[in-house]
PDB file of all heavy atoms in Angstrom:
ATOM      1  N   GLU N   1      30.908  43.978 -13.930  1.00  0.00           N
ATOM      2  CA  GLU N   1      31.473  45.229 -14.443  1.00  0.00           C
ATOM      3  C   GLU N   1      30.430  45.999 -15.285  1.00  0.00           C
ATOM      4  O   GLU N   1      30.278  47.197 -15.158  1.00  0.00           O
ATOM      5  CB  GLU N   1      32.675  44.926 -15.299  1.00  0.00           C
ATOM      6  CG  GLU N   1      33.400  46.239 -15.834  1.00  0.00           C
ATOM      7  CD  GLU N   1      34.702  45.914 -16.540  1.00  0.00           C
ATOM      8  OE1 GLU N   1      35.176  44.736 -16.461  1.00  0.00           O
ATOM      9  OE2 GLU N   1      35.248  46.814 -17.161  1.00  0.00           O
ATOM     10  N   LYS N   2      29.688  45.243 -16.135  1.00  0.00           N
ATOM     11  CA  LYS N   2      28.665  45.841 -17.026  1.00  0.00           C
ATOM     12  C   LYS N   2      27.332  45.966 -16.338  1.00  0.00           C
ATOM     13  O   LYS N   2      26.405  46.563 -16.839  1.00  0.00           O
ATOM     14  CB  LYS N   2      28.567  45.076 -18.301  1.00  0.00           C
ATOM     15  CG  LYS N   2      29.839  45.102 -19.150  1.00  0.00           C
ATOM     16  CD  LYS N   2      29.642  44.330 -20.460  1.00  0.00           C
ATOM     17  CE  LYS N   2      30.894  44.364 -21.341  1.00  0.00           C
ATOM     18  NZ  LYS N   2      30.722  43.591 -22.560  1.00  0.00           N
ATOM     19  N   VAL N   3      27.191  45.295 -15.160  1.00  0.00           N
ATOM     20  CA  VAL N   3      25.918  45.244 -14.403  1.00  0.00           C
ATOM     21  C   VAL N   3      24.841  44.646 -15.312  1.00  0.00           C
ATOM     22  O   VAL N   3      23.839  45.262 -15.610  1.00  0.00           O
ATOM     23  CB  VAL N   3      25.491  46.638 -13.916  1.00  0.00           C
ATOM     24  CG1 VAL N   3      24.419  46.519 -12.808  1.00  0.00           C
ATOM     25  CG2 VAL N   3      26.669  47.402 -13.365  1.00  0.00           C
ATOM     26  N   GLN N   4      25.121  43.440 -15.789  1.00  0.00           N
ATOM     27  CA  GLN N   4      24.183  42.775 -16.677  1.00  0.00           C
ATOM     28  C   GLN N   4      24.012  41.311 -16.179  1.00  0.00           C
ATOM     29  O   GLN N   4      24.899  40.664 -15.650  1.00  0.00           O
ATOM     30  CB  GLN N   4      24.711  42.716 -18.155  1.00  0.00           C
ATOM     31  CG  GLN N   4      24.804  44.051 -18.773  1.00  0.00           C
ATOM     32  CD  GLN N   4      25.431  44.012 -20.177  1.00  0.00           C
ATOM     33  OE1 GLN N   4      25.988  42.998 -20.584  1.00  0.00           O
ATOM     34  NE2 GLN N   4      25.301  45.062 -20.933  1.00  0.00           N
ATOM     35  N   VAL N   5      22.742  40.826 -16.382  1.00  0.00           N
ATOM     36  CA  VAL N   5      22.414  39.477 -16.042  1.00  0.00           C
ATOM     37  C   VAL N   5      21.900  38.746 -17.327  1.00  0.00           C
ATOM     38  O   VAL N   5      21.027  39.268 -18.065  1.00  0.00           O
ATOM     39  CB  VAL N   5      21.281  39.376 -14.998  1.00  0.00           C
ATOM     40  CG1 VAL N   5      20.892  37.927 -14.690  1.00  0.00           C
ATOM     41  CG2 VAL N   5      21.734  40.110 -13.732  1.00  0.00           C
ATOM     42  N   SER N   6      22.503  37.618 -17.652  1.00  0.00           N
ATOM     43  CA  SER N   6      22.211  36.938 -18.893  1.00  0.00           C
ATOM     44  C   SER N   6      21.670  35.519 -18.621  1.00  0.00           C
ATOM     45  O   SER N   6      22.163  34.813 -17.730  1.00  0.00           O
ATOM     46  CB  SER N   6      23.469  36.815 -19.733  1.00  0.00           C
ATOM     47  OG  SER N   6      23.274  35.924 -20.862  1.00  0.00           O
ATOM     48  N   ALA N   7      20.657  35.127 -19.433  1.00  0.00           N
ATOM     49  CA  ALA N   7      20.075  33.805 -19.323  1.00  0.00           C
ATOM     50  C   ALA N   7      20.583  32.861 -20.398  1.00  0.00           C
ATOM     51  O   ALA N   7      20.069  31.768 -20.592  1.00  0.00           O
ATOM     52  CB  ALA N   7      18.561  33.911 -19.400  1.00  0.00           C
ATOM     53  N   ALA N   8      21.583  33.281 -21.118  1.00  0.00           N
ATOM     54  CA  ALA N   8      22.038  32.545 -22.300  1.00  0.00           C
ATOM     55  C   ALA N   8      22.386  31.078 -21.987  1.00  0.00           C
ATOM     56  O   ALA N   8      21.989  30.153 -22.721  1.00  0.00           O
ATOM     57  CB  ALA N   8      23.281  33.237 -22.903  1.00  0.00           C
ATOM     58  N   LYS N   9      23.139  30.820 -20.921  1.00  0.00           N
ATOM     59  CA  LYS N   9      23.531  29.454 -20.577  1.00  0.00           C
ATOM     60  C   LYS N   9      22.380  28.591 -20.183  1.00  0.00           C
ATOM     61  O   LYS N   9      22.284  27.416 -20.501  1.00  0.00           O
ATOM     62  CB  LYS N   9      24.607  29.458 -19.471  1.00  0.00           C
ATOM     63  CG  LYS N   9      26.005  29.897 -19.966  1.00  0.00           C
ATOM     64  CD  LYS N   9      27.041  29.731 -18.888  1.00  0.00           C
ATOM     65  CE  LYS N   9      28.428  30.090 -19.412  1.00  0.00           C
ATOM     66  NZ  LYS N   9      29.497  29.869 -18.350  1.00  0.00           N
ATOM     67  N   ARG N  10      21.442  29.189 -19.445  1.00  0.00           N
ATOM     68  CA  ARG N  10      20.275  28.427 -19.011  1.00  0.00           C
ATOM     69  C   ARG N  10      19.363  28.090 -20.244  1.00  0.00           C
ATOM     70  O   ARG N  10      18.885  26.968 -20.357  1.00  0.00           O
ATOM     71  CB  ARG N  10      19.431  29.253 -17.989  1.00  0.00           C
ATOM     72  CG  ARG N  10      20.083  29.332 -16.638  1.00  0.00           C
ATOM     73  CD  ARG N  10      19.261  30.224 -15.690  1.00  0.00           C
ATOM     74  NE  ARG N  10      17.962  29.593 -15.339  1.00  0.00           N
ATOM     75  CZ  ARG N  10      17.745  28.789 -14.361  1.00  0.00           C
ATOM     76  NH1 ARG N  10      18.809  28.420 -13.538  1.00  0.00           N
ATOM     77  NH2 ARG N  10      16.529  28.344 -14.033  1.00  0.00           N
ATOM     78  N   ILE N  11      19.252  29.025 -21.148  1.00  0.00           N
ATOM     79  CA  ILE N  11      18.452  28.805 -22.350  1.00  0.00           C
ATOM     80  C   ILE N  11      19.118  27.713 -23.240  1.00  0.00           C
ATOM     81  O   ILE N  11      18.403  26.783 -23.759  1.00  0.00           O
ATOM     82  CB  ILE N  11      18.259  30.115 -23.162  1.00  0.00           C
ATOM     83  CG1 ILE N  11      17.392  31.105 -22.382  1.00  0.00           C
ATOM     84  CG2 ILE N  11      17.666  29.809 -24.532  1.00  0.00           C
ATOM     85  CD1 ILE N  11      17.319  32.470 -22.959  1.00  0.00           C
ATOM     86  N   ALA N  12      20.455  27.751 -23.330  1.00  0.00           N
ATOM     87  CA  ALA N  12      21.194  26.775 -24.023  1.00  0.00           C
ATOM     88  C   ALA N  12      20.965  25.340 -23.452  1.00  0.00           C
ATOM     89  O   ALA N  12      20.828  24.338 -24.102  1.00  0.00           O
ATOM     90  CB  ALA N  12      22.671  27.073 -24.094  1.00  0.00           C
ATOM     91  N   TRP N  13      20.935  25.298 -22.093  1.00  0.00           N
ATOM     92  CA  TRP N  13      20.684  24.041 -21.381  1.00  0.00           C
ATOM     93  C   TRP N  13      19.316  23.464 -21.729  1.00  0.00           C
ATOM     94  O   TRP N  13      19.191  22.281 -22.011  1.00  0.00           O
ATOM     95  CB  TRP N  13      20.911  24.262 -19.897  1.00  0.00           C
ATOM     96  CG  TRP N  13      20.683  22.968 -19.126  1.00  0.00           C
ATOM     97  CD1 TRP N  13      21.683  22.060 -18.825  1.00  0.00           C
ATOM     98  CD2 TRP N  13      19.489  22.452 -18.553  1.00  0.00           C
ATOM     99  NE1 TRP N  13      21.157  21.002 -18.124  1.00  0.00           N
ATOM    100  CE2 TRP N  13      19.780  21.225 -17.950  1.00  0.00           C
ATOM    101  CE3 TRP N  13      18.175  22.908 -18.474  1.00  0.00           C
ATOM    102  CZ2 TRP N  13      18.836  20.469 -17.260  1.00  0.00           C
ATOM    103  CZ3 TRP N  13      17.235  22.173 -17.870  1.00  0.00           C
ATOM    104  CH2 TRP N  13      17.534  20.954 -17.244  1.00  0.00           C
ATOM    105  N   TRP N  14      18.322  24.390 -21.689  1.00  0.00           N
ATOM    106  CA  TRP N  14      16.989  23.930 -22.027  1.00  0.00           C
ATOM    107  C   TRP N  14      16.935  23.380 -23.396  1.00  0.00           C
ATOM    108  O   TRP N  14      16.136  22.452 -23.726  1.00  0.00           O
ATOM    109  CB  TRP N  14      15.963  25.047 -21.810  1.00  0.00           C
ATOM    110  CG  TRP N  14      15.596  25.378 -20.449  1.00  0.00           C
ATOM    111  CD1 TRP N  14      15.926  26.532 -19.747  1.00  0.00           C
ATOM    112  CD2 TRP N  14      14.894  24.526 -19.506  1.00  0.00           C
ATOM    113  NE1 TRP N  14      15.435  26.461 -18.414  1.00  0.00           N
ATOM    114  CE2 TRP N  14      14.809  25.244 -18.277  1.00  0.00           C
ATOM    115  CE3 TRP N  14      14.369  23.259 -19.642  1.00  0.00           C
ATOM    116  CZ2 TRP N  14      14.176  24.689 -17.163  1.00  0.00           C
ATOM    117  CZ3 TRP N  14      13.671  22.692 -18.511  1.00  0.00           C
ATOM    118  CH2 TRP N  14      13.603  23.455 -17.267  1.00  0.00           C
ATOM    119  N   GLY N  15      17.777  23.884 -24.275  1.00  0.00           N
ATOM    120  CA  GLY N  15      17.793  23.402 -25.673  1.00  0.00           C
ATOM    121  C   GLY N  15      18.283  21.993 -25.822  1.00  0.00           C
ATOM    122  O   GLY N  15      18.090  21.388 -26.854  1.00  0.00           O
ATOM    123  N   THR N  16      18.897  21.423 -24.753  1.00  0.00           N
ATOM    124  CA  THR N  16      19.359  20.076 -24.821  1.00  0.00           C
ATOM    125  C   THR N  16      18.360  19.077 -24.164  1.00  0.00           C
ATOM    126  O   THR N  16      18.651  17.903 -24.040  1.00  0.00           O
ATOM    127  CB  THR N  16      20.728  19.954 -24.036  1.00  0.00           C
ATOM    128  OG1 THR N  16      20.507  20.223 -22.634  1.00  0.00           O
ATOM    129  CG2 THR N  16      21.752  20.907 -24.608  1.00  0.00           C
ATOM    130  N   GLN N  17      17.217  19.616 -23.744  1.00  0.00           N
ATOM    131  CA  GLN N  17      16.325  18.777 -22.977  1.00  0.00           C
ATOM    132  C   GLN N  17      15.153  18.152 -23.801  1.00  0.00           C
ATOM    133  O   GLN N  17      14.149  17.710 -23.260  1.00  0.00           O
ATOM    134  CB  GLN N  17      15.675  19.591 -21.787  1.00  0.00           C
ATOM    135  CG  GLN N  17      16.716  20.171 -20.866  1.00  0.00           C
ATOM    136  CD  GLN N  17      17.618  19.016 -20.306  1.00  0.00           C
ATOM    137  OE1 GLN N  17      17.173  18.089 -19.672  1.00  0.00           O
ATOM    138  NE2 GLN N  17      18.958  19.192 -20.572  1.00  0.00           N
ATOM    139  N   HIS N  18      15.336  18.208 -25.164  1.00  0.00           N
ATOM    140  CA  HIS N  18      14.347  17.590 -26.052  1.00  0.00           C
ATOM    141  C   HIS N  18      12.953  18.126 -25.849  1.00  0.00           C
ATOM    142  O   HIS N  18      11.943  17.381 -25.839  1.00  0.00           O
ATOM    143  CB  HIS N  18      14.393  16.014 -25.842  1.00  0.00           C
ATOM    144  CG  HIS N  18      15.726  15.495 -25.966  1.00  0.00           C
ATOM    145  ND1 HIS N  18      16.532  15.501 -27.090  1.00  0.00           N
ATOM    146  CD2 HIS N  18      16.517  14.833 -24.995  1.00  0.00           C
ATOM    147  CE1 HIS N  18      17.687  14.931 -26.817  1.00  0.00           C
ATOM    148  NE2 HIS N  18      17.704  14.517 -25.575  1.00  0.00           N
ATOM    149  N   LEU N  19      12.809  19.460 -25.744  1.00  0.00           N
ATOM    150  CA  LEU N  19      11.558  20.052 -25.593  1.00  0.00           C
ATOM    151  C   LEU N  19      10.934  20.354 -26.960  1.00  0.00           C
ATOM    152  O   LEU N  19      11.655  20.475 -27.906  1.00  0.00           O
ATOM    153  CB  LEU N  19      11.621  21.338 -24.787  1.00  0.00           C
ATOM    154  CG  LEU N  19      12.198  21.280 -23.374  1.00  0.00           C
ATOM    155  CD1 LEU N  19      12.290  22.698 -22.809  1.00  0.00           C
ATOM    156  CD2 LEU N  19      11.351  20.392 -22.492  1.00  0.00           C
ATOM    157  N   SER N  20       9.606  20.429 -26.993  1.00  0.00           N
ATOM    158  CA  SER N  20       8.978  20.878 -28.275  1.00  0.00           C
ATOM    159  C   SER N  20       9.366  22.320 -28.477  1.00  0.00           C
ATOM    160  O   SER N  20       9.752  23.018 -27.560  1.00  0.00           O
ATOM    161  CB  SER N  20       7.440  20.738 -28.147  1.00  0.00           C
ATOM    162  OG  SER N  20       6.969  21.650 -27.183  1.00  0.00           O
ATOM    163  N   GLN N  21       9.262  22.794 -29.728  1.00  0.00           N
ATOM    164  CA  GLN N  21       9.602  24.158 -30.017  1.00  0.00           C
ATOM    165  C   GLN N  21       8.788  25.138 -29.222  1.00  0.00           C
ATOM    166  O   GLN N  21       9.253  26.185 -28.737  1.00  0.00           O
ATOM    167  CB  GLN N  21       9.448  24.442 -31.494  1.00  0.00           C
ATOM    168  CG  GLN N  21       9.977  25.791 -31.951  1.00  0.00           C
ATOM    169  CD  GLN N  21      11.492  25.976 -31.636  1.00  0.00           C
ATOM    170  OE1 GLN N  21      12.278  25.098 -31.967  1.00  0.00           O
ATOM    171  NE2 GLN N  21      11.906  27.067 -30.969  1.00  0.00           N
ATOM    172  N   ALA N  22       7.503  24.798 -28.983  1.00  0.00           N
ATOM    173  CA  ALA N  22       6.572  25.680 -28.226  1.00  0.00           C
ATOM    174  C   ALA N  22       7.088  25.753 -26.811  1.00  0.00           C
ATOM    175  O   ALA N  22       7.084  26.849 -26.198  1.00  0.00           O
ATOM    176  CB  ALA N  22       5.187  25.148 -28.347  1.00  0.00           C
ATOM    177  N   ASP N  23       7.440  24.568 -26.202  1.00  0.00           N
ATOM    178  CA  ASP N  23       7.884  24.603 -24.814  1.00  0.00           C
ATOM    179  C   ASP N  23       9.257  25.305 -24.691  1.00  0.00           C
ATOM    180  O   ASP N  23       9.553  26.051 -23.707  1.00  0.00           O
ATOM    181  CB  ASP N  23       8.008  23.156 -24.264  1.00  0.00           C
ATOM    182  CG  ASP N  23       6.653  22.540 -23.981  1.00  0.00           C
ATOM    183  OD1 ASP N  23       5.695  23.329 -23.883  1.00  0.00           O
ATOM    184  OD2 ASP N  23       6.562  21.310 -23.932  1.00  0.00           O
ATOM    185  N   LEU N  24      10.145  25.168 -25.674  1.00  0.00           N
ATOM    186  CA  LEU N  24      11.432  25.802 -25.641  1.00  0.00           C
ATOM    187  C   LEU N  24      11.319  27.314 -25.760  1.00  0.00           C
ATOM    188  O   LEU N  24      11.953  28.039 -25.024  1.00  0.00           O
ATOM    189  CB  LEU N  24      12.313  25.300 -26.766  1.00  0.00           C
ATOM    190  CG  LEU N  24      13.749  25.856 -26.847  1.00  0.00           C
ATOM    191  CD1 LEU N  24      14.503  25.689 -25.555  1.00  0.00           C
ATOM    192  CD2 LEU N  24      14.492  25.345 -28.053  1.00  0.00           C
TER     193      LEU N  24
END
């Protein structure tokens, strides 16, 4: 409806992968 694409869920998933802050 708004014609928008969001990466929020993917970014949140990467936040659970124990990456360094630089890699995140």
Side-chain angles (χ1 to χ4, degrees):
E1 185 175 349
K2 295 181 180 180
V3 195
Q4 294 177 347
V5 178
S6 170
K9 286 188 176 181
R10 287 177 68 89
I11 292 172
W13 182 88
W14 284 113
T16 66
Q17 301 306 301
H18 309 294
L19 301 177
S20 67
Q21 188 59 48
D23 287 341
L24 180 58

